[in-house]
């Protein structure tokens, strides 16, 4: 497919997806969503791409769904565009490769939702985040009502969604929406460094590490009969890949990532799963520590 609104390049194992509709602050219309769907399907299948980085051309990452287009849609078309957006976010979240959002500017509405569908978010100091949909009489319909609370907690997610407040990169970092803030001129370098760590780590089981969705975790646990936890922030490099590498060679099991709070909290589905399979948190934790020491 020939792209009009995005640029796709690959270099040294990294696939770069650059949103390229700067006059509309890279807003997502149905054509852009179709192109994103195509490019992420291609990335998923492309052996030359091990990690993807999404960023935006100009002063915006993505300023949301295209308001001009939305205002012209009838109810059925509006529903179709909502579902199309949801499917693109789900695709990004579940492809077989890590996806890093390098947020250069506005990440609003559907733009923040796309950033949240990525595995990791690095922000430029100039980035701004928000879910301003309520100002338009709609909701964060591309999955933001689900992904935002998972990242920042229910209370903070509701505060952001109800208020439509726009926050800066430091505040986004403080609440856990982004994992790193860097000066604007260092953004791509920082994202590339993270991507290169992922490539070096040769994470074999990234597909099974990626799912955060409880349903997927439960399904995979049923399939494998085993649960191994990996600390949330160590998907690329560090403890996560160490556990991955060791387990994939030494133990015939698949590795999953579960939010650390789910796993070690006093209740929750992950703990129930551990119990169900006769595993206790202490032994799992000891196992992870042992692998990390090797
Ligand atoms: N859609 C279409 N065009 C946009 C958008 C957008 N989301 N955002 C900005 N633009 C366009 C502007 O219309 C303007 O175009 P033009 O030059 O032709 O007039 C150009 O980009 C530059 O924008 P501004 O002049 O407004 O630039 P400012 O620096 O003054 O302001 C802002 C920048 C603050 C980002 C401002 O443009 C803004 O508030 N944009 C809208 C942000 C927003 O509300 N986003 C949420 C959209 S809704 C959404 O994402 C819903 C997703 C889920 C849908 C599911 C349905 C249930």
């Amino acid at each position: 497919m020939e792209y009009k609104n995005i640029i796709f390049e690959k270099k040294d194992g990294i696939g770069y997806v650059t949103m390229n509709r700067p006059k509309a602050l890279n807003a997502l219309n149905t054509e852009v969503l179709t192109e994103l769907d195509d490019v992420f399907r291609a990335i998923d299948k492309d052996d030359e791409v091990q990690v993807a980085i999404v960023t935006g051309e100009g002063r915006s990452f993505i300023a949301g769904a295209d308001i001009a287009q939305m205002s012209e849609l009838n109810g059925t078309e509006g529903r179709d565009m909502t579902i199309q957006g949801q499917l693109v976010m789900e695709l990004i979240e579940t492809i077989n490769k890590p996806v890093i959002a390098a947020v250069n500017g506005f990440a609003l509405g559907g733009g923040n939702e796309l950033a949240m569908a990525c595995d990791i978010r690095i922000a430029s100091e100039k980035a701004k985040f928000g879910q301003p949909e309520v100002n338009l009489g709609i909701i964060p319909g591309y999955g933001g009502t689900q992904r935002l609370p998972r990242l920042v907690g229910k209370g903070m997610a509701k505060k952001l969604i109800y208020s439509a407040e726009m926050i800066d990169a430091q505040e986004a970092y403080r609440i856990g929406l982004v994992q790193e803030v860097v000066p604007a001129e260092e953004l791509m370098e920082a994202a590339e460094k993270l991507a290169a760590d992922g490539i070096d780590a040769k994470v074999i089981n990234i597909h099974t590490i990626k799912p955060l969705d409880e349903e997927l975790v439960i399904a995979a646990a049923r399939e494998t009969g085993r649960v191994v936890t990996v600390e949330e922030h160590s998907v690329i490099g560090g403890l996560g890949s160490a556990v991955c590498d060791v387990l994939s060679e030494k133990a015939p099991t698949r590795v999953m990532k579960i939010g650390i709070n789910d796993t070690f909290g006093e209740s929750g589905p992950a703990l129930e799963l551990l119990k169900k399979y006769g595993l206790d948190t202490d032994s799992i934790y000891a196992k992870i520590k042992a692998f990390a020491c090797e």
Side-chain angles (χ1 to χ4, degrees):
M1 176 184 235
E2 203 169 308
Y3 302 130
K4 291 190 199 148
N5 306 284
I6 59 175
I7 299 168
F8 177 56
E9 295 156 310
K10 10 182 207 183
K11 196 177 164 217
D12 300 332
I14 302 174
Y16 296 85
V17 177
T18 305
M19 308 303 299
N20 189 31
R21 230 193 136 207
K23 281 190 186 151
L25 301 185
N26 299 326
L28 301 170
N29 62 19
T30 46
E31 190 177 60
V32 183
L33 289 170
T34 301
E35 292 182 14
L36 284 170
D37 180 78
D38 187 83
V39 81
F40 278 100
R41 281 179 200 283
I43 286 171
D44 202 15
K45 288 192 214 123
D46 189 340
D47 290 341
E48 286 176 27
V49 178
Q50 288 175 270
V51 179
I53 298 177
V54 190
T55 193
E57 180 62 35
R59 64 192 175 99
S60 178
F61 177 69
I62 300 167
D66 190 312
I67 298 171
Q69 186 182 36
M70 278 195 300
S71 67
E72 290 171 359
L73 302 178
N74 64 31
T76 311
E77 290 163 344
R79 189 198 56 195
D80 288 350
M81 187 187 180
T82 305
I83 292 170
Q84 187 189 17
Q86 289 172 358
L87 291 175
V88 168
M89 306 304 151
E90 203 175 306
L91 174 67
I92 293 172
E93 187 170 56
T94 56
I95 65 164
N96 208 9
K97 319 260 162 93
V99 185
I100 298 166
V103 183
N104 53 302
F106 295 112
L108 300 174
N112 193 41
E113 290 175 300
L114 189 143
M116 291 192 293
C118 297
D119 292 282
I120 298 167
R121 287 145 295 284
I122 301 186
S124 143
E125 282 169 347
K126 293 184 178 167
K128 300 258 194 266
F129 299 81
Q131 297 292 161
E133 285 92 341
V134 291
N135 286 340
L136 302 168
I138 55 175
I139 63 159
Y142 290 168
T145 55
Q146 310 303 304
R147 292 191 179 95
L148 190 58
R150 286 181 197 160
L151 285 167
V152 305
K154 270 191 194 175
M156 185 58 79
K158 287 183 183 179
K159 179 171 179 270
L160 289 171
I161 292 170
Y162 293 175
S163 69
E165 179 191 359
M166 186 150 63
I167 58 171
D168 65 18
Q170 287 301 342
E171 177 65 358
Y173 177 71
R174 190 187 72 77
I175 64 174
L177 178 55
V178 304
Q179 285 63 60
E180 204 177 330
V181 180
V182 295
E185 61 280 10
E186 292 170 23
L187 179 65
M188 288 314 285
E189 198 186 322
E192 281 163 357
K193 185 177 177 310
L194 189 61
D197 287 348
I199 290 167
D200 286 348
K202 293 188 179 53
V203 178
I204 302 159
N205 282 322
I206 198 74
H207 183 60
T208 43
I209 292 174
K210 278 192 69 161
L212 268 175
D213 188 281
E214 278 167 20
E215 291 296 320
L216 290 176
V217 169
I218 290 166
R222 278 204 191 108
E223 196 183 311
T224 60
R226 297 189 61 176
V227 179
V228 176
T229 61
V230 180
E231 199 174 324
E232 180 138 13
H233 297 295
S234 58
V235 185
I236 297 180
L239 184 60
S241 56
V243 174
C244 233
D245 283 347
V246 173
L247 284 185
S248 58
E249 281 169 28
K250 295 192 180 166
T253 185
R254 295 179 14 170
V255 182
M256 288 176 292
K257 180 164 85 90
I258 308 176
I260 198 97
N261 292 335
D262 277 347
T263 312
F264 296 104
E266 284 174 7
S267 62
L271 206 63
E272 291 306 311
L273 273 175
L274 293 180
K275 276 191 209 149
K276 187 170 164 189
Y277 291 107
L279 301 167
D280 66 81
T281 50
D282 285 348
S283 66
I284 294 281
Y285 211 27
K287 216 174 207 179
I288 291 174
K289 276 190 187 154
F291 288 140
C293 295
E294 277 183 13

